């Protein structure tokens, strides 16, 4: 017999395959119901077990705060010292938002609209006047607001200090007992807390506390100092090292709304810098008028008594 080839072609099926008919709408509906019933009867997958804690532990940061941003801006006409101070304050606020300079010809209520468009709930506005006076507005978009005169300005760049801290870390706020003695001081304390306290879990903040913002009320001024918390060593204990900036805030008025509204507090002892400079000029003007009057009295006295007597030593050098 003849040998068959190794790779013989497969024999073709004589009976052709039948084509499947497409399902009708009722059949598709029954199939979907059957699949849904099978999925409902299937057991639920077991929840994944939490990962086992290692010896070092797990660091989990939870964000439970309401979104809060602080708008920091200054007016036109600021000097280099005022601009450096605004930049230093912005570094202390990891939740701060910087905006271009504000035109002083526009009303202050426009700042509230700018803050709302930027998603900010609080505002720090540095207003410069005559390139020598600086005012600070601390306000919420829905109120209250406070106006201060900034004095004794010392930016970080102008101080020879050795303190340093992590940029973006959350500060510890310290207030002396004077902030609990009167209603307007308690209001000011709450306003400063909400503005300078970085929210917990903020994406731009660090989960550390290595610096302190100290607020003290002394001689009618709110004195602000910034310190670094120095960790203990073998030779020394915990300590504080000043970082900067330094500034003093003189309260002027507190309002119930944002940049206006009902006056909650008015500092009657406040003297405007313009008035103080006018008093100095008026005093100098009085001294000059006194000197002129004295010279005129001397001339009148000489004129009434006639000529001066002859000087016996008048011809000594002739």
């Amino acid at each position: 017999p003849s040998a068959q080839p190794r790779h013989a072609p497969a024999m073709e099926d004589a009976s052709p395959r039948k084509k499947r008919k497409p399902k009708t709408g009722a059949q598709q509906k029954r199939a979907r119901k059957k699949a849904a019933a099978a999925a409902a009867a299937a057991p639920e997958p077991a929840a994944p077990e939490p990962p086992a804690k290692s010896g070092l532990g797990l660091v989990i940061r939870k964000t439970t705060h309401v979104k809060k941003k602080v708008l920091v801006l200054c007016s036109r006409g600021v000097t280099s010292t005022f601009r450096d101070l605004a930049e230093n304050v912005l570094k202390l606020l990891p939740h701060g938002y910087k905006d271009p300079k504000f035109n002083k010809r526009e009303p202050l209520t426009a700042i509230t609209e700018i803050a709302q468009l930027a998603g900010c709930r609080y505002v720090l506005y540095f207003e410069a006047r005559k390139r020598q006076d600086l005012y600070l507005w601390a306000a919420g978009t829905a109120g209250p607001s406070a106006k201060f005169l900034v004095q004794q300005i010392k930016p970080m760049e102008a101080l020879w200090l050795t303190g340093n801290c992590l940029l973006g870390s959350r500060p510890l706020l310290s207030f002396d007992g004077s902030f609990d003695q009167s209603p307007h001081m308690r209001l000011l304390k709450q306003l400063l807390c909400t503005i300078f306290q970085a929210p917990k879990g903020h994406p731009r903040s660090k989960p550390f506390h290595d610096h302190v913002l100290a607020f003290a009320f002394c001689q009618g001024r709110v004195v602000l100092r910034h310190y670094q918390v120095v960790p203990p060593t073998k030779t020394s204990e915990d300590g504080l090292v000043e970082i900067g900036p330094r500034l003093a805030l003189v309260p002027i008025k507190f309002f119930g709304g944002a940049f206006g509204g009902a006056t909650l507090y008015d500092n009657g002892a406040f003297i405007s810098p313009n008035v103080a400079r006018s008093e100095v000029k008026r005093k100098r003007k009085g001294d000059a008028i006194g000197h002129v009057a004295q010279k005129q009295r001397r001339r009148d006295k000489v004129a009434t008594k006639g000529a001066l007597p002859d000087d016996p030593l008048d011809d000594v050098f002739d």
Side-chain angles (χ1 to χ4, degrees):
S2 60
Q4 295 181 357
R6 190 171 182 180
H7 300 285
M11 295 180 65
E12 296 183 358
D13 191 0
S15 60
R17 296 182 179 179
K18 297 181 180 181
K19 295 183 179 180
R20 295 182 179 180
K21 295 181 179 181
K23 292 183 179 181
T24 61
Q27 292 177 347
Q28 294 178 0
K29 188 175 181 180
R30 284 195 297 270
R32 287 196 297 267
K33 287 184 178 180
K34 187 176 180 181
E44 296 181 359
E49 298 181 357
K53 294 184 178 181
S54 60
L56 299 178
L58 298 176
V59 178
I60 301 176
R61 297 186 64 188
K62 294 183 179 180
T63 303
T64 58
H65 70 280
V66 181
K67 185 177 180 181
K68 181 180 73 173
K69 289 196 299 183
V70 179
L71 177 66
V72 180
L73 74 163
C74 57
S75 65
R76 295 191 178 275
V78 294
T79 61
S80 59
T81 303
F82 299 163
R83 185 177 61 253
D84 292 343
L85 178 62
E87 293 288 344
N88 297 155
V89 172
L90 187 62
K91 289 182 180 179
L92 300 179
L93 304 174
H95 56 296
Y97 176 81
K98 185 179 179 181
D99 198 74
K101 294 180 180 179
F102 181 73
N103 189 0
K104 293 187 290 185
R105 295 182 180 179
E106 298 182 7
L108 293 178
T109 53
I111 300 179
T112 306
E113 299 178 4
I114 296 173
Q116 292 175 352
L117 292 175
C120 300
R121 299 175 58 191
Y122 301 95
V123 179
L124 286 177
Y125 173 53
F126 293 89
E127 182 181 2
R129 296 182 183 176
K130 297 184 177 181
R131 300 186 62 86
Q132 53 185 341
D133 300 329
L134 181 64
Y135 293 86
L136 173 63
W137 283 88
T141 54
S145 58
K147 184 180 180 181
F148 306 93
L149 174 65
V150 186
Q151 296 179 344
Q152 301 176 1
I153 302 173
K154 293 293 183 181
M156 293 181 184
E157 294 77 9
L159 297 173
W160 186 261
L161 301 174
T162 59
N164 193 8
C165 66
L166 182 64
L167 182 63
S169 59
R170 301 179 64 210
L172 297 173
L173 303 183
S174 175
F175 294 87
D176 64 352
S178 303
F179 287 88
D180 298 327
Q181 294 180 358
S182 58
H184 68 277
M185 293 302 295
R186 288 194 292 269
L187 174 64
L188 177 59
K189 178 181 178 180
Q190 184 64 28
L191 182 61
L192 294 176
C193 283
T194 53
I195 291 178
F196 285 93
Q197 182 61 52
K200 182 179 180 181
H202 194 276
R204 292 176 56 186
S205 66
K206 308 296 188 303
F208 306 103
H209 298 278
D210 59 349
H211 60 121
V212 179
L213 284 175
F215 297 90
F217 190 75
C218 179
Q219 297 180 358
R221 303 173 183 175
V222 179
V223 182
L224 173 61
R225 294 291 185 270
H226 185 207
Y227 299 94
Q228 175 199 2
V229 179
V230 180
T233 59
K234 296 182 180 180
T235 58
S236 62
E237 299 180 353
D238 293 344
L240 298 176
V241 179
E242 188 173 1
I243 303 176
R246 297 176 182 174
L247 66 152
L249 305 176
V250 181
I252 302 175
K253 281 187 178 182
F254 298 164
F255 301 95
F259 301 98
T263 302
L264 304 179
Y265 170 74
D266 189 1
N267 186 6
F270 171 73
I271 300 176
S272 174
N274 294 330
V275 176
R277 286 190 291 266
S278 298
E279 290 293 336
V280 173
K281 291 181 180 179
R282 190 176 294 108
K283 184 178 179 181
R284 293 178 179 175
K285 179 181 177 181
D287 296 342
I289 292 175
H291 296 326
V292 174
Q294 184 180 2
K295 293 179 181 179
Q296 185 63 33
R297 288 194 299 269
R298 176 63 178 173
R299 295 192 191 98
D300 297 341
K301 184 178 180 180
V302 172
T304 54
K305 289 185 178 181
L308 294 177
D310 297 335
D311 188 3
L313 302 179
D314 190 21
D315 56 350
V316 172
F317 298 97
D318 292 342

PDB file of all heavy atoms in Angstrom, residues 251-282:
ATOM      1  N   PRO A 251      -3.395  99.620  67.598  1.00  0.00           N
ATOM      2  CA  PRO A 251      -4.800  99.495  67.185  1.00  0.00           C
ATOM      3  C   PRO A 251      -5.436 100.873  66.976  1.00  0.00           C
ATOM      4  O   PRO A 251      -5.245 101.793  67.769  1.00  0.00           O
ATOM      5  CB  PRO A 251      -5.461  98.745  68.351  1.00  0.00           C
ATOM      6  CG  PRO A 251      -4.328  98.151  69.124  1.00  0.00           C
ATOM      7  CD  PRO A 251      -3.158  99.051  68.932  1.00  0.00           C
ATOM      8  N   ILE A 252      -6.183 101.016  65.911  1.00  0.00           N
ATOM      9  CA  ILE A 252      -6.878 102.269  65.601  1.00  0.00           C
ATOM     10  C   ILE A 252      -8.383 102.090  65.745  1.00  0.00           C
ATOM     11  O   ILE A 252      -9.023 102.744  66.565  1.00  0.00           O
ATOM     12  CB  ILE A 252      -6.531 102.757  64.187  1.00  0.00           C
ATOM     13  CG1 ILE A 252      -5.015 102.968  64.047  1.00  0.00           C
ATOM     14  CG2 ILE A 252      -7.261 104.059  63.875  1.00  0.00           C
ATOM     15  CD1 ILE A 252      -4.571 103.345  62.652  1.00  0.00           C
ATOM     16  N   LYS A 253      -8.948 101.165  64.943  1.00  0.00           N
ATOM     17  CA  LYS A 253     -10.387 100.907  64.996  1.00  0.00           C
ATOM     18  C   LYS A 253     -10.661  99.458  64.653  1.00  0.00           C
ATOM     19  O   LYS A 253      -9.934  98.841  63.866  1.00  0.00           O
ATOM     20  CB  LYS A 253     -11.156 101.816  64.019  1.00  0.00           C
ATOM     21  CG  LYS A 253     -11.375 103.231  64.506  1.00  0.00           C
ATOM     22  CD  LYS A 253     -12.283 103.991  63.554  1.00  0.00           C
ATOM     23  CE  LYS A 253     -12.542 105.402  64.063  1.00  0.00           C
ATOM     24  NZ  LYS A 253     -13.466 106.154  63.163  1.00  0.00           N
ATOM     25  N   PHE A 254     -11.730  98.923  65.267  1.00  0.00           N
ATOM     26  CA  PHE A 254     -12.244  97.602  64.928  1.00  0.00           C
ATOM     27  C   PHE A 254     -13.660  97.788  64.368  1.00  0.00           C
ATOM     28  O   PHE A 254     -14.462  98.531  64.929  1.00  0.00           O
ATOM     29  CB  PHE A 254     -12.290  96.681  66.148  1.00  0.00           C
ATOM     30  CG  PHE A 254     -10.945  96.399  66.759  1.00  0.00           C
ATOM     31  CD1 PHE A 254     -10.847  95.860  68.032  1.00  0.00           C
ATOM     32  CD2 PHE A 254      -9.776  96.659  66.064  1.00  0.00           C
ATOM     33  CE1 PHE A 254      -9.620  95.602  68.606  1.00  0.00           C
ATOM     34  CE2 PHE A 254      -8.540  96.410  66.619  1.00  0.00           C
ATOM     35  CZ  PHE A 254      -8.456  95.875  67.902  1.00  0.00           C
ATOM     36  N   PHE A 255     -13.934  97.105  63.249  1.00  0.00           N
ATOM     37  CA  PHE A 255     -15.223  97.230  62.585  1.00  0.00           C
ATOM     38  C   PHE A 255     -15.932  95.879  62.579  1.00  0.00           C
ATOM     39  O   PHE A 255     -15.291  94.819  62.605  1.00  0.00           O
ATOM     40  CB  PHE A 255     -15.043  97.738  61.148  1.00  0.00           C
ATOM     41  CG  PHE A 255     -14.365  99.069  61.043  1.00  0.00           C
ATOM     42  CD1 PHE A 255     -13.000  99.171  60.825  1.00  0.00           C
ATOM     43  CD2 PHE A 255     -15.105 100.236  61.185  1.00  0.00           C
ATOM     44  CE1 PHE A 255     -12.376 100.390  60.729  1.00  0.00           C
ATOM     45  CE2 PHE A 255     -14.485 101.474  61.087  1.00  0.00           C
ATOM     46  CZ  PHE A 255     -13.123 101.552  60.870  1.00  0.00           C
ATOM     47  N   GLY A 256     -17.250  95.937  62.486  1.00  0.00           N
ATOM     48  CA  GLY A 256     -18.036  94.715  62.473  1.00  0.00           C
ATOM     49  C   GLY A 256     -18.069  94.028  61.130  1.00  0.00           C
ATOM     50  O   GLY A 256     -18.312  92.828  61.060  1.00  0.00           O
ATOM     51  N   GLY A 257     -17.828  94.760  60.042  1.00  0.00           N
ATOM     52  CA  GLY A 257     -17.821  94.187  58.701  1.00  0.00           C
ATOM     53  C   GLY A 257     -16.427  94.164  58.108  1.00  0.00           C
ATOM     54  O   GLY A 257     -15.425  94.434  58.783  1.00  0.00           O
ATOM     55  N   ALA A 258     -16.373  93.818  56.830  1.00  0.00           N
ATOM     56  CA  ALA A 258     -15.093  93.777  56.117  1.00  0.00           C
ATOM     57  C   ALA A 258     -14.754  95.175  55.612  1.00  0.00           C
ATOM     58  O   ALA A 258     -15.463  95.714  54.768  1.00  0.00           O
ATOM     59  CB  ALA A 258     -15.167  92.782  54.956  1.00  0.00           C
ATOM     60  N   PHE A 259     -13.697  95.784  56.159  1.00  0.00           N
ATOM     61  CA  PHE A 259     -13.217  97.110  55.777  1.00  0.00           C
ATOM     62  C   PHE A 259     -14.310  98.171  55.978  1.00  0.00           C
ATOM     63  O   PHE A 259     -14.418  99.123  55.211  1.00  0.00           O
ATOM     64  CB  PHE A 259     -12.741  97.126  54.323  1.00  0.00           C
ATOM     65  CG  PHE A 259     -11.640  96.159  54.040  1.00  0.00           C
ATOM     66  CD1 PHE A 259     -11.907  94.926  53.485  1.00  0.00           C
ATOM     67  CD2 PHE A 259     -10.327  96.478  54.341  1.00  0.00           C
ATOM     68  CE1 PHE A 259     -10.893  94.024  53.227  1.00  0.00           C
ATOM     69  CE2 PHE A 259      -9.304  95.589  54.090  1.00  0.00           C
ATOM     70  CZ  PHE A 259      -9.590  94.354  53.530  1.00  0.00           C
ATOM     71  N   GLY A 260     -15.094  98.006  57.005  1.00  0.00           N
ATOM     72  CA  GLY A 260     -16.135  98.979  57.300  1.00  0.00           C
ATOM     73  C   GLY A 260     -17.228  98.365  58.136  1.00  0.00           C
ATOM     74  O   GLY A 260     -17.118  97.232  58.629  1.00  0.00           O
ATOM     75  N   GLY A 261     -18.294  99.128  58.319  1.00  0.00           N
ATOM     76  CA  GLY A 261     -19.411  98.647  59.121  1.00  0.00           C
ATOM     77  C   GLY A 261     -19.472  99.359  60.460  1.00  0.00           C
ATOM     78  O   GLY A 261     -18.902 100.440  60.647  1.00  0.00           O
ATOM     79  N   ALA A 262     -20.171  98.743  61.387  1.00  0.00           N
ATOM     80  CA  ALA A 262     -20.317  99.325  62.721  1.00  0.00           C
ATOM     81  C   ALA A 262     -18.981  99.336  63.446  1.00  0.00           C
ATOM     82  O   ALA A 262     -18.215  98.366  63.390  1.00  0.00           O
ATOM     83  CB  ALA A 262     -21.345  98.540  63.525  1.00  0.00           C
ATOM     84  N   THR A 263     -18.686 100.438  64.131  1.00  0.00           N
ATOM     85  CA  THR A 263     -17.425 100.567  64.870  1.00  0.00           C
ATOM     86  C   THR A 263     -17.550  99.832  66.207  1.00  0.00           C
ATOM     87  O   THR A 263     -18.371 100.195  67.048  1.00  0.00           O
ATOM     88  CB  THR A 263     -17.080 102.036  65.118  1.00  0.00           C
ATOM     89  OG1 THR A 263     -16.997 102.712  63.851  1.00  0.00           O
ATOM     90  CG2 THR A 263     -15.758 102.165  65.845  1.00  0.00           C
ATOM     91  N   LEU A 264     -16.735  98.803  66.389  1.00  0.00           N
ATOM     92  CA  LEU A 264     -16.751  98.033  67.626  1.00  0.00           C
ATOM     93  C   LEU A 264     -15.797  98.589  68.667  1.00  0.00           C
ATOM     94  O   LEU A 264     -16.030  98.422  69.875  1.00  0.00           O
ATOM     95  CB  LEU A 264     -16.389  96.568  67.326  1.00  0.00           C
ATOM     96  CG  LEU A 264     -17.260  95.851  66.281  1.00  0.00           C
ATOM     97  CD1 LEU A 264     -16.765  94.427  66.089  1.00  0.00           C
ATOM     98  CD2 LEU A 264     -18.716  95.873  66.693  1.00  0.00           C
ATOM     99  N   TYR A 265     -14.726  99.237  68.225  1.00  0.00           N
ATOM    100  CA  TYR A 265     -13.732  99.785  69.155  1.00  0.00           C
ATOM    101  C   TYR A 265     -13.025 100.941  68.468  1.00  0.00           C
ATOM    102  O   TYR A 265     -12.698 100.870  67.282  1.00  0.00           O
ATOM    103  CB  TYR A 265     -12.720  98.713  69.581  1.00  0.00           C
ATOM    104  CG  TYR A 265     -11.533  99.257  70.348  1.00  0.00           C
ATOM    105  CD1 TYR A 265     -11.655  99.666  71.665  1.00  0.00           C
ATOM    106  CD2 TYR A 265     -10.289  99.371  69.723  1.00  0.00           C
ATOM    107  CE1 TYR A 265     -10.574 100.179  72.363  1.00  0.00           C
ATOM    108  CE2 TYR A 265      -9.191  99.869  70.414  1.00  0.00           C
ATOM    109  CZ  TYR A 265      -9.347 100.273  71.731  1.00  0.00           C
ATOM    110  OH  TYR A 265      -8.274 100.788  72.415  1.00  0.00           O
ATOM    111  N   ASP A 266     -12.815 102.012  69.231  1.00  0.00           N
ATOM    112  CA  ASP A 266     -12.111 103.190  68.731  1.00  0.00           C
ATOM    113  C   ASP A 266     -11.061 103.588  69.756  1.00  0.00           C
ATOM    114  O   ASP A 266     -11.385 103.830  70.926  1.00  0.00           O
ATOM    115  CB  ASP A 266     -13.084 104.341  68.481  1.00  0.00           C
ATOM    116  CG  ASP A 266     -12.422 105.511  67.767  1.00  0.00           C
ATOM    117  OD1 ASP A 266     -11.220 105.402  67.452  1.00  0.00           O
ATOM    118  OD2 ASP A 266     -13.102 106.532  67.539  1.00  0.00           O
ATOM    119  N   ASN A 267      -9.816 103.640  69.335  1.00  0.00           N
ATOM    120  CA  ASN A 267      -8.714 103.985  70.230  1.00  0.00           C
ATOM    121  C   ASN A 267      -8.628 105.504  70.341  1.00  0.00           C
ATOM    122  O   ASN A 267      -8.160 106.184  69.417  1.00  0.00           O
ATOM    123  CB  ASN A 267      -7.401 103.398  69.696  1.00  0.00           C
ATOM    124  CG  ASN A 267      -6.244 103.584  70.649  1.00  0.00           C
ATOM    125  OD1 ASN A 267      -6.421 104.059  71.777  1.00  0.00           O
ATOM    126  ND2 ASN A 267      -5.055 103.189  70.218  1.00  0.00           N
ATOM    127  N   GLY A 268      -9.103 106.034  71.472  1.00  0.00           N
ATOM    128  CA  GLY A 268      -9.075 107.478  71.667  1.00  0.00           C
ATOM    129  C   GLY A 268      -7.692 108.043  71.889  1.00  0.00           C
ATOM    130  O   GLY A 268      -7.460 109.236  71.665  1.00  0.00           O
ATOM    131  N   ALA A 269      -6.745 107.207  72.318  1.00  0.00           N
ATOM    132  CA  ALA A 269      -5.382 107.678  72.562  1.00  0.00           C
ATOM    133  C   ALA A 269      -4.522 107.672  71.313  1.00  0.00           C
ATOM    134  O   ALA A 269      -3.348 108.049  71.383  1.00  0.00           O
ATOM    135  CB  ALA A 269      -4.720 106.819  73.644  1.00  0.00           C
ATOM    136  N   PHE A 270      -5.069 107.258  70.188  1.00  0.00           N
ATOM    137  CA  PHE A 270      -4.267 107.186  68.970  1.00  0.00           C
ATOM    138  C   PHE A 270      -4.053 108.585  68.396  1.00  0.00           C
ATOM    139  O   PHE A 270      -4.978 109.392  68.313  1.00  0.00           O
ATOM    140  CB  PHE A 270      -4.962 106.306  67.931  1.00  0.00           C
ATOM    141  CG  PHE A 270      -4.320 106.343  66.584  1.00  0.00           C
ATOM    142  CD1 PHE A 270      -3.103 105.715  66.362  1.00  0.00           C
ATOM    143  CD2 PHE A 270      -4.926 107.007  65.520  1.00  0.00           C
ATOM    144  CE1 PHE A 270      -2.499 105.748  65.116  1.00  0.00           C
ATOM    145  CE2 PHE A 270      -4.343 107.042  64.276  1.00  0.00           C
ATOM    146  CZ  PHE A 270      -3.129 106.413  64.073  1.00  0.00           C
ATOM    147  N   ILE A 271      -2.824 108.872  68.017  1.00  0.00           N
ATOM    148  CA  ILE A 271      -2.446 110.142  67.394  1.00  0.00           C
ATOM    149  C   ILE A 271      -1.925 109.832  66.004  1.00  0.00           C
ATOM    150  O   ILE A 271      -0.988 109.056  65.825  1.00  0.00           O
ATOM    151  CB  ILE A 271      -1.379 110.887  68.217  1.00  0.00           C
ATOM    152  CG1 ILE A 271      -1.912 111.196  69.620  1.00  0.00           C
ATOM    153  CG2 ILE A 271      -0.957 112.166  67.521  1.00  0.00           C
ATOM    154  CD1 ILE A 271      -0.890 111.849  70.528  1.00  0.00           C
ATOM    155  N   SER A 272      -2.529 110.460  65.015  1.00  0.00           N
ATOM    156  CA  SER A 272      -2.133 110.216  63.638  1.00  0.00           C
ATOM    157  C   SER A 272      -0.706 110.704  63.390  1.00  0.00           C
ATOM    158  O   SER A 272      -0.277 111.718  63.961  1.00  0.00           O
ATOM    159  CB  SER A 272      -3.092 110.934  62.691  1.00  0.00           C
ATOM    160  OG  SER A 272      -2.653 110.830  61.353  1.00  0.00           O
ATOM    161  N   PRO A 273       0.068 110.010  62.564  1.00  0.00           N
ATOM    162  CA  PRO A 273       1.424 110.494  62.251  1.00  0.00           C
ATOM    163  C   PRO A 273       1.437 111.883  61.634  1.00  0.00           C
ATOM    164  O   PRO A 273       2.373 112.658  61.866  1.00  0.00           O
ATOM    165  CB  PRO A 273       1.952 109.433  61.273  1.00  0.00           C
ATOM    166  CG  PRO A 273       1.143 108.219  61.541  1.00  0.00           C
ATOM    167  CD  PRO A 273      -0.199 108.702  61.947  1.00  0.00           C
ATOM    168  N   ASN A 274       0.399 112.228  60.866  1.00  0.00           N
ATOM    169  CA  ASN A 274       0.333 113.570  60.292  1.00  0.00           C
ATOM    170  C   ASN A 274       0.210 114.631  61.380  1.00  0.00           C
ATOM    171  O   ASN A 274       0.845 115.685  61.320  1.00  0.00           O
ATOM    172  CB  ASN A 274      -0.850 113.668  59.331  1.00  0.00           C
ATOM    173  CG  ASN A 274      -0.682 112.781  58.121  1.00  0.00           C
ATOM    174  OD1 ASN A 274       0.435 112.518  57.680  1.00  0.00           O
ATOM    175  ND2 ASN A 274      -1.780 112.290  57.596  1.00  0.00           N
ATOM    176  N   VAL A 275      -0.618 114.346  62.394  1.00  0.00           N
ATOM    177  CA  VAL A 275      -0.780 115.290  63.507  1.00  0.00           C
ATOM    178  C   VAL A 275       0.522 115.412  64.288  1.00  0.00           C
ATOM    179  O   VAL A 275       0.914 116.515  64.694  1.00  0.00           O
ATOM    180  CB  VAL A 275      -1.939 114.845  64.410  1.00  0.00           C
ATOM    181  CG1 VAL A 275      -2.067 115.757  65.618  1.00  0.00           C
ATOM    182  CG2 VAL A 275      -3.248 114.809  63.626  1.00  0.00           C
ATOM    183  N   ALA A 276       1.214 114.290  64.519  1.00  0.00           N
ATOM    184  CA  ALA A 276       2.476 114.341  65.253  1.00  0.00           C
ATOM    185  C   ALA A 276       3.522 115.169  64.498  1.00  0.00           C
ATOM    186  O   ALA A 276       4.239 115.979  65.104  1.00  0.00           O
ATOM    187  CB  ALA A 276       2.994 112.921  65.497  1.00  0.00           C
ATOM    188  N   ARG A 277       3.605 114.986  63.192  1.00  0.00           N
ATOM    189  CA  ARG A 277       4.562 115.774  62.413  1.00  0.00           C
ATOM    190  C   ARG A 277       4.177 117.251  62.387  1.00  0.00           C
ATOM    191  O   ARG A 277       5.048 118.127  62.401  1.00  0.00           O
ATOM    192  CB  ARG A 277       4.658 115.210  60.993  1.00  0.00           C
ATOM    193  CG  ARG A 277       5.418 113.903  60.890  1.00  0.00           C
ATOM    194  CD  ARG A 277       5.687 113.538  59.446  1.00  0.00           C
ATOM    195  NE  ARG A 277       4.464 113.172  58.754  1.00  0.00           N
ATOM    196  CZ  ARG A 277       4.022 111.923  58.618  1.00  0.00           C
ATOM    197  NH1 ARG A 277       4.712 110.930  59.161  1.00  0.00           N
ATOM    198  NH2 ARG A 277       2.908 111.669  57.954  1.00  0.00           N
ATOM    199  N   SER A 278       2.882 117.544  62.372  1.00  0.00           N
ATOM    200  CA  SER A 278       2.452 118.943  62.402  1.00  0.00           C
ATOM    201  C   SER A 278       2.823 119.617  63.718  1.00  0.00           C
ATOM    202  O   SER A 278       3.226 120.794  63.735  1.00  0.00           O
ATOM    203  CB  SER A 278       0.934 119.013  62.181  1.00  0.00           C
ATOM    204  OG  SER A 278       0.586 118.496  60.916  1.00  0.00           O
ATOM    205  N   GLU A 279       2.728 118.870  64.816  1.00  0.00           N
ATOM    206  CA  GLU A 279       3.111 119.431  66.114  1.00  0.00           C
ATOM    207  C   GLU A 279       4.604 119.752  66.152  1.00  0.00           C
ATOM    208  O   GLU A 279       5.015 120.782  66.692  1.00  0.00           O
ATOM    209  CB  GLU A 279       2.739 118.456  67.231  1.00  0.00           C
ATOM    210  CG  GLU A 279       1.247 118.311  67.462  1.00  0.00           C
ATOM    211  CD  GLU A 279       0.612 119.578  67.994  1.00  0.00           C
ATOM    212  OE1 GLU A 279       1.343 120.391  68.612  1.00  0.00           O
ATOM    213  OE2 GLU A 279      -0.600 119.765  67.788  1.00  0.00           O
ATOM    214  N   VAL A 280       5.410 118.865  65.588  1.00  0.00           N
ATOM    215  CA  VAL A 280       6.857 119.121  65.553  1.00  0.00           C
ATOM    216  C   VAL A 280       7.160 120.351  64.711  1.00  0.00           C
ATOM    217  O   VAL A 280       7.982 121.210  65.103  1.00  0.00           O
ATOM    218  CB  VAL A 280       7.595 117.878  65.016  1.00  0.00           C
ATOM    219  CG1 VAL A 280       9.077 118.183  64.819  1.00  0.00           C
ATOM    220  CG2 VAL A 280       7.414 116.698  65.956  1.00  0.00           C
ATOM    221  N   LYS A 281       6.520 120.490  63.556  1.00  0.00           N
ATOM    222  CA  LYS A 281       6.747 121.663  62.716  1.00  0.00           C
ATOM    223  C   LYS A 281       6.268 122.941  63.401  1.00  0.00           C
ATOM    224  O   LYS A 281       6.904 123.999  63.293  1.00  0.00           O
ATOM    225  CB  LYS A 281       6.038 121.486  61.384  1.00  0.00           C
ATOM    226  CG  LYS A 281       6.628 120.411  60.499  1.00  0.00           C
ATOM    227  CD  LYS A 281       5.884 120.320  59.183  1.00  0.00           C
ATOM    228  CE  LYS A 281       6.483 119.240  58.291  1.00  0.00           C
ATOM    229  NZ  LYS A 281       5.754 119.123  56.996  1.00  0.00           N
ATOM    230  N   ARG A 282       5.139 122.834  64.104  1.00  0.00           N
ATOM    231  CA  ARG A 282       4.618 124.013  64.793  1.00  0.00           C
ATOM    232  C   ARG A 282       5.565 124.455  65.912  1.00  0.00           C
ATOM    233  O   ARG A 282       5.763 125.659  66.131  1.00  0.00           O
ATOM    234  CB  ARG A 282       3.227 123.705  65.351  1.00  0.00           C
ATOM    235  CG  ARG A 282       2.486 124.929  65.868  1.00  0.00           C
ATOM    236  CD  ARG A 282       1.086 124.568  66.326  1.00  0.00           C
ATOM    237  NE  ARG A 282       0.257 124.126  65.207  1.00  0.00           N
ATOM    238  CZ  ARG A 282      -0.115 122.866  65.008  1.00  0.00           C
ATOM    239  NH1 ARG A 282       0.280 121.912  65.859  1.00  0.00           N
ATOM    240  NH2 ARG A 282      -0.865 122.539  63.977  1.00  0.00           N
TER     241      ARG A 282
END
